[in-house]
Amino acid sequence: LQVSTQSLILIRSLWSHDLALMICRGDGLSLVFACIRSLTLRQIGCLSKRTFAAAFLSNKLVYTTSDSLDRLIAGHELEVLPDFCTCDEENKLMVEVDRTLGRKRYEYDHWDDAIHGFRETEKSRWNEFNSNVISRVCQQAFSFLTDRTLLPHIHVLDLADNGCIKPHIDSHKFCGNVIAGLSLLSTRVMRLQHEMDKTQQIEVLLQPRSLYIIRNELRYHFTHEILLNSSNSVFELTGSPSRRVSLIVRNQPSQRHC
């Protein structure tokens, strides 16, 4: 891994002294990536996307079209945490999900035309092991809120290999200012786009076992969608799309937005 002196200074001052030392010592990519996974986008938001890419990775998890969007991310409007759960946890979540969804067929029409090729359910009870994973999601996404009242059901959304979620903004009447989703099984690209200014876009690479959190302005004023494929995305995914399951947690709507 080749890192310039300037990048090391930037890493040392803005991220982690230990991380910079590990790179200097050549302790290996796995340890560097372990540190990167522990960082939230709030911590890396002060770096431009160009600096972040140059310092570490040939590809990254988030792409933005403007500095103003970088500032929103720096303000904790968006978090993406790779490997939020383990492979074992993913497998055990899927065993429980498939007990319910396995009996359902994929649908290709939706009441508001927001989803294509999907199965879904709402689930409030999980076994003890999986409940601990869900609790970690809630703690990460909602612990800073004064009012931590969450919707009682986890929304389980299963996209077929030819499924997608079309651009939409979740109704203000039914959920609050935070949306958190744990992605399982396959990698897809999520795009957020300002409802009025279509040039303002964010693309997020959602890898299996990653957690994304959308808050406040990005939740209320940006559409979000899950692309069918990456042909019109900055991310170039190899292979055909495959099944993706997400576990989505939301908080209660606020009176201000009802």
Side-chain angles (χ1 to χ4, degrees):
L1 180 63
Q2 300 296 322
V3 182
S4 68
T5 302
Q6 182 181 7
S7 295
L8 285 173
I9 294 171
L10 192 61
I11 294 162
R12 188 186 295 273
S13 61
L14 295 178
W15 287 5
S16 162
H17 176 76
D18 293 336
L19 177 57
L21 288 179
M22 282 200 303
I23 296 174
C24 291
R25 290 198 308 263
D27 284 349
L29 283 174
S30 60
L31 288 177
V32 174
F33 289 156
C35 284
I36 292 173
R37 283 197 297 268
S38 71
L39 299 173
T40 67
L41 283 177
R42 185 174 190 177
Q43 291 169 295
I44 69 174
C46 50
L47 301 177
S48 72
K49 53 184 175 289
R50 292 168 293 281
T51 303
F52 178 49
F56 288 112
L57 308 172
S58 59
N59 61 349
K60 53 196 179 71
L61 301 178
V62 178
Y63 171 83
T64 66
T65 59
S66 72
D67 290 339
S68 63
L69 293 177
D70 290 341
R71 288 190 291 271
L72 278 181
I73 293 174
H76 229 201
E77 300 280 293
L78 172 67
E79 284 186 74
V80 184
L81 292 87
D83 292 327
F84 185 81
C85 69
T86 66
C87 290
D88 182 54
E89 289 171 332
E90 178 184 42
N91 291 336
K92 289 179 178 178
L93 284 166
M94 285 308 308
V95 167
E96 188 165 357
V97 164
D98 279 337
R99 287 189 185 128
T100 301
L101 289 180
R103 297 189 295 270
K104 295 187 175 184
R105 294 184 177 182
Y106 287 104
E107 302 177 37
Y108 290 87
D109 54 6
H110 189 258
W111 65 272
D112 63 355
D113 197 36
I115 318 175
H116 175 84
F118 72 99
R119 302 184 293 191
E120 64 181 340
T121 189
E122 292 186 332
K123 189 170 172 60
S124 59
R125 293 187 178 183
W126 299 80
N127 67 41
E128 183 178 358
F129 184 92
N130 291 334
S131 292
N132 290 330
V133 180
I134 300 298
S135 294
R136 292 207 322 265
V137 171
C138 296
Q139 178 68 21
Q140 181 69 40
F142 302 97
S143 61
F144 73 99
L145 293 178
T146 303
D147 180 3
R148 301 179 188 176
T149 306
L150 306 184
L151 294 179
H153 298 88
I154 306 300
H155 182 195
V156 181
L157 181 56
D158 181 353
L159 289 181
D161 53 6
N162 63 347
C164 65
I165 300 176
K166 301 176 183 180
H168 71 286
I169 298 176
D170 288 4
S171 173
H172 302 175
K173 297 179 180 179
F174 301 125
C175 61
N177 65 321
V178 180
I179 300 171
L182 183 63
S183 301
L184 306 175
L185 296 185
S186 70
T187 299
R188 291 288 188 97
V189 175
M190 178 171 67
R191 177 180 293 149
L192 297 99
Q193 182 173 264
H194 194 277
E195 59 185 339
M196 302 299 293
D197 183 356
K198 305 303 182 184
T199 66
Q200 298 295 299
Q201 291 187 6
I202 301 172
E203 289 193 1
V204 184
L205 191 65
L206 297 179
Q207 299 168 321
R209 300 176 298 283
S210 66
L211 176 69
Y212 72 84
I213 305 167
I214 304 172
R215 297 186 175 99
N216 302 324
E217 184 173 347
L218 290 182
R219 178 266 182 266
Y220 286 121
H221 300 295
F222 283 70
T223 63
H224 62 274
E225 60 184 301
I226 299 294
L227 305 183
L228 174 59
N229 55 58
S230 61
S231 61
N232 63 342
S233 168
V234 297
F235 297 104
E236 296 180 1
L237 304 182
T238 58
S240 301
S242 58
R243 181 190 180 199
R244 173 185 182 266
V245 170
S246 56
L247 309 183
I248 305 167
V249 187
R250 300 175 173 92
N251 59 335
Q252 295 278 3
S254 67
Q255 294 300 316
R256 183 166 61 91
H257 287 97
C258 288

